[in-house]
Every structure is written in structure tokens, then in C-alpha cells.
Amino acid sequence: YQAVRSDAIPKEDLKTAYEQIVLLQTMDTVLYEAQRQGRLSFYMTSTGEEACHFGSAMALQPSLIHISE
């Protein structure tokens, strides 16, 4: 395992990842509130886990197929 310095990642990629994390947090809020109101039967938020998902996805090459659960 070798850590990657933050300056080794292009700033545009970091900005995109941050925007996607904020979008996921917004989606979590909307869907969780819908679940609490009874409009959805089940919804589990990813609060506190956003960076894990996006960090690992950023390490993948665009040509790879990524299937998540």
C-alpha cells in the first residue's frame, strides 16, 4: 500500500468528487425524509461513508466495468 498525496490528484477531479459527495448527501436527505413520511418503504443513508465510495471509484480506470451493490 502506498498513499497518494493530495497534490498528485488533479484539482478538477477533486472538485468533481466533492460535488458528487454533496449531491449524494442531498439525495440521502430527500429520500430519507420521503421514507420517514411513508412514501418509501425502506431507505438506508450512506452518511459518513461517502468518501469511501467515491475514493475507491476514483481509483478505477474509466475502461473498467464497476458493479456495486
Side-chain angles (χ1 to χ4, degrees), residues 24 52-54 56-57 60 64-69:
L24 176 60
C52 296
H53 301 301
F54 287 98
S56 60
L60 298 174
L64 296 174
I65 296 174
H66 179 80
I67 300 173
S68 60
E69 293 183 20

Side-chain angles (χ1 to χ4, degrees), residues 4-65:
V4 177
R5 296 186 341 228
S6 62
D7 61 349
I9 302 171
K11 290 191 185 294
E12 187 60 35
D13 290 350
L14 292 174
K15 181 182 175 202
T16 300
Y18 178 76
E19 290 169 350
Q20 294 297 317
I21 289 171
V22 171
L23 179 63
L24 176 60
Q25 291 172 338
T26 303
M27 183 184 76
D28 270 352
T29 300
V30 170
L31 292 173
Y32 180 72
E33 289 175 1
Q35 186 262 333
R36 296 287 292 166
Q37 295 168 5
R39 294 187 285 155
L40 292 175
S41 62
F42 181 78
Y43 184 75
M44 183 178 288
T45 64
S46 61
T47 305
E49 302 173 355
E50 301 93 340
C52 296
H53 301 301
F54 287 98
S56 60
M58 285 177 64
L60 298 174
Q61 298 171 352
S63 61
L64 296 174
I65 296 174

